[in-house]
Structure formats: structure tokens, C-alpha cells
Amino acid sequence: KMLFEFKVLGAGIATIALAGVGNGIGIIWNALLTSMSRNPSLTPELFNSAIFGFALVEAIALFTLMIVFLLMF
């Protein structure tokens, strides 16, 4: 019975990484908008780099959710 409580506690602690993911996504889009406003001619290249960075940060969120589900079930 106590094992389930520890699983839930571990899953809750593991989801703390999602706060960092949200922060990282915000930083990426903030940098993109700032860069686009300073140099609009580089918009396509900047956008491609931002999408790549977004994908890497989002992968951390998916790995976190995978670990949480592995802990839960």
C-alpha cells in the first residue's frame, strides 16, 4: 500500500521539470520576437532556429511525461 504513495510522490516531483520547460519555451519565443524586431530580414532563419529550439525543449517535456507514466504504472 505504501508503494503507491511513493509512486505518486515521485511522479509529482518529476513533473517539476515541466516548469523549466515552460520557462524555456518562453525564453525562446522572447528571443525570437526580439531578434525579429531588430533585424526583420533574418526572420526565416531565426524562425527555423526557434522552431528547432522549441522542439528540443518540448522533447524534455515528453521525456518527463514518459518517466511520470512509467512511475505511475
Side-chain angles (χ1 to χ4, degrees), residues 11-35:
I13 291 171
T15 57
I16 293 173
L18 295 177
V21 169
N23 191 17
I25 291 171
I27 290 171
I28 288 171
W29 291 115
N30 179 27
L32 174 67
L33 292 176
T34 303
S35 301

Side-chain angles (χ1 to χ4, degrees), residues 8-62:
V8 172
L9 181 65
I13 291 171
T15 57
I16 293 173
L18 295 177
V21 169
N23 191 17
I25 291 171
I27 290 171
I28 288 171
W29 291 115
N30 179 27
L32 174 67
L33 292 176
T34 303
S35 301
M36 284 173 36
S37 66
R38 289 182 182 204
N39 195 353
S41 64
L42 290 177
T43 297
E45 292 86 5
L46 291 171
F47 188 74
N48 289 339
S49 297
I51 291 296
F52 181 69
F54 173 77
L56 291 177
V57 172
E58 192 65 28
I60 295 171
L62 294 176

